[in-house]
Amino acid sequence: GQANFCALFRATMSKLIVAQDADSKLVSWLGGHLPESPSFASTCSGFIADGDKAGLAKALVNVVPQLLSSQSLAAADLQVPLTYLSHLIATESPSLSSEYLKALSTSPQGLTSMATFYNFLTDSQKDMKVDTLTALLSHATVTGQQAVLLPALSTVDALLPTLGLSPRRSVLESLSLALAGTPQGYSYTLQYLRTYPQSSPLTLPALKLAQSAIKAGLADVRKALDLASLPCLSSIEEHASGLVKLLRLYVSATYAEFSSYLGSEAGAKVVSDEGLDVAVLEENMKVLELLDLCNRERLVGYDDVAAALGASSDGEVEAWIVKTTQLGLVKARMDQVGRVVEVGESRKRRFGKEGWEEVRDVLGRWGK
């Protein structure tokens, strides 16, 4: 698995890096590319002669910004000294990790070396891994290099369960922000919001991520069903009542009730303020209404579907059935002769008695 790959990576790179005279040759090569630091090579040679790994690492960290800004070094050339330095700090001078990450963050080219450094760290260096990952995510967000992160996500997924609540929440927040707008980002946002228990106050980043996630859920019924079960939904509602109201109605109200709300002054204001598409909302609500029918009955008649969705023909009924199955919400077979839908499996839509009480309360407050 990914853990074995990381171990193999560390072992292989270590053998290459500690090869005979590798450090001396590297320092000599670097000296030729740092004309503004004429004493660099001689200083480092002294550290090498004394076996002072910490001194060598410090000297190398100091010139990282110069290396990254050098016009004479190609990106591929940079990876050799930076891979060496990543290994040196991970194994010999971990106290320099913060300074090293800060130096790498001075250039977009430093992101790959941050990822390399992260891969050199072992499970026993958990705190350093969290700090490195946070820096890596932040730098990827600032430089717009989110794609560089994707290969490392499997190792992150293995790390998360081993962290305490505070560092896990911090990493999930960084992942959510760095990968915003991607499927992975939404998944991490959902995990992040689930770290907040019921009635727990949310931070400003959490609220912004929650609002973005709910808007995504209102555009995708599968996400809406996930979001409706968040323990912290009532806390989100204190700051985004309109969005949460729509979400609650989405997963519990009938299509007729939902349409009525959208036509009300309060509903129209939410749609306008949040820039929502009424056509998308109504289409998704019809899918959820059909899902509700499939939750209740194993055999659903075409006439029942038509009445619930306002469909005017069997062809329209069948189109809604196909759409709902394509979304993965229902496994069903259409009997066109008998004009019934035979339901095999269906995802749960409603969330119990408490959900019904909440939605009735919401409906009762429309005019207030």
Side-chain angles (χ1 to χ4, degrees):
Q2 189 68 29
N4 291 334
F5 167 78
C6 288
L8 180 62
F9 170 83
R10 287 192 293 269
T12 303
M13 294 305 298
S14 296
K15 289 179 181 178
L16 294 174
I17 287 169
V18 299
Q20 187 175 11
D21 296 332
D23 45 10
S24 297
K25 291 176 181 177
L26 180 62
V27 165
S28 177
W29 180 81
L30 283 174
H33 291 277
L34 294 169
E36 62 271 43
S37 302
S39 62
F40 170 78
S42 59
T43 300
C44 289
S45 295
F47 289 133
I48 293 171
D50 295 338
D52 186 354
K53 295 287 188 180
L56 177 60
K58 175 68 174 175
L60 288 169
V61 168
N62 288 340
V63 298
V64 166
Q66 295 177 47
L67 292 173
L68 291 172
S69 62
S70 173
Q71 300 298 314
S72 63
L73 288 172
D77 294 330
L78 281 173
Q79 294 314 305
V80 176
L82 293 179
T83 297
Y84 172 88
L85 182 54
S86 293
H87 177 268
L88 184 62
I89 293 175
T91 58
E92 302 287 345
S93 302
S95 61
L96 289 173
S97 61
S98 295
E99 192 173 342
Y100 181 46
L101 292 171
K102 183 178 180 180
L104 289 174
S105 69
T106 60
S107 168
Q109 294 187 79
L111 187 66
T112 301
S113 294
M114 283 186 182
T116 300
F117 181 56
Y118 177 81
N119 286 332
F120 273 129
L121 298 175
T122 65
D123 292 342
S124 64
Q125 296 171 305
K126 188 180 299 182
D127 290 344
M128 202 184 306
K129 290 186 80 168
V130 170
D131 292 342
T132 303
L133 180 58
T134 302
L136 178 63
L137 293 169
S138 176
H139 198 40
T141 304
V142 171
T143 59
Q145 299 183 82
Q146 289 87 342
V148 177
L149 299 173
L150 300 182
L153 292 184
S154 57
T155 63
V156 174
D157 291 341
L159 173 67
L160 285 170
T162 70
L163 303 178
L165 176 59
S166 182
R168 184 168 75 253
R169 182 179 286 170
S170 176
V171 170
L172 285 170
E173 180 181 299
S174 297
L175 284 164
S176 300
L177 294 170
L179 298 169
T182 68
Q184 295 92 341
Y186 174 78
S187 175
Y188 287 123
T189 296
L190 202 59
Q191 292 182 57
Y192 170 59
L193 293 174
R194 283 177 176 154
T195 67
Y196 287 91
Q198 188 173 11
S199 301
S200 173
L202 272 63
T203 63
L204 183 58
L207 287 170
K208 289 184 176 180
L209 286 167
Q211 290 172 322
S212 177
I214 292 175
K215 290 178 75 170
L218 292 172
D220 185 333
V221 294
R222 294 163 296 187
K223 293 178 179 178
L225 295 173
D226 291 329
L227 291 163
S229 63
L230 286 175
C232 64
L233 203 57
S234 58
S235 295
I236 300 171
E237 190 171 20
E238 293 177 11
H239 303 273
S241 59
L243 285 175
V244 174
K245 183 182 291 186
L246 279 179
L247 181 64
R248 292 195 191 279
L249 294 173
Y250 230 36
V251 296
S252 289
T254 65
Y255 173 69
E257 289 171 333
F258 188 77
S259 295
S260 177
Y261 176 67
L262 289 182
S264 70
E265 183 178 347
K269 186 177 187 306
V270 174
V271 169
S272 175
D273 289 349
E274 301 295 342
L276 303 174
D277 188 325
V278 173
V280 171
L281 294 176
E282 291 188 333
E283 180 178 308
N284 287 339
M285 191 64 199
K286 287 186 176 183
V287 169
L288 290 166
E289 181 79 344
L290 178 53
L291 175 61
D292 201 35
L293 290 173
C294 294
N295 284 168
R296 297 199 306 261
E297 303 289 345
R298 295 298 300 274
L299 293 176
V300 181
Y302 276 30
D303 290 339
D304 293 330
V305 176
L309 306 187
S312 58
S313 68
D314 283 3
E316 190 176 350
V317 166
E318 290 170 355
W320 284 112
I321 295 168
V322 170
K323 181 176 181 63
T324 306
T325 56
Q326 287 177 338
L327 287 170
L329 301 175
V330 172
K331 290 184 179 180
R333 186 177 72 86
M334 290 181 287
D335 180 352
Q336 294 175 310
V337 176
R339 299 181 67 248
V340 296
V341 184
E342 299 177 6
V343 181
E345 299 176 11
S346 62
R347 183 168 175 181
K348 187 74 173 173
R349 179 200 176 196
R350 298 183 186 272
F351 48 97
K353 182 179 178 181
E354 291 182 0
W356 268 113
E357 291 173 351
E358 288 173 350
V359 75
R360 295 305 177 200
D361 183 53
V362 168
L363 292 170
R365 296 198 304 268
W366 282 358
K368 298 181 181 180

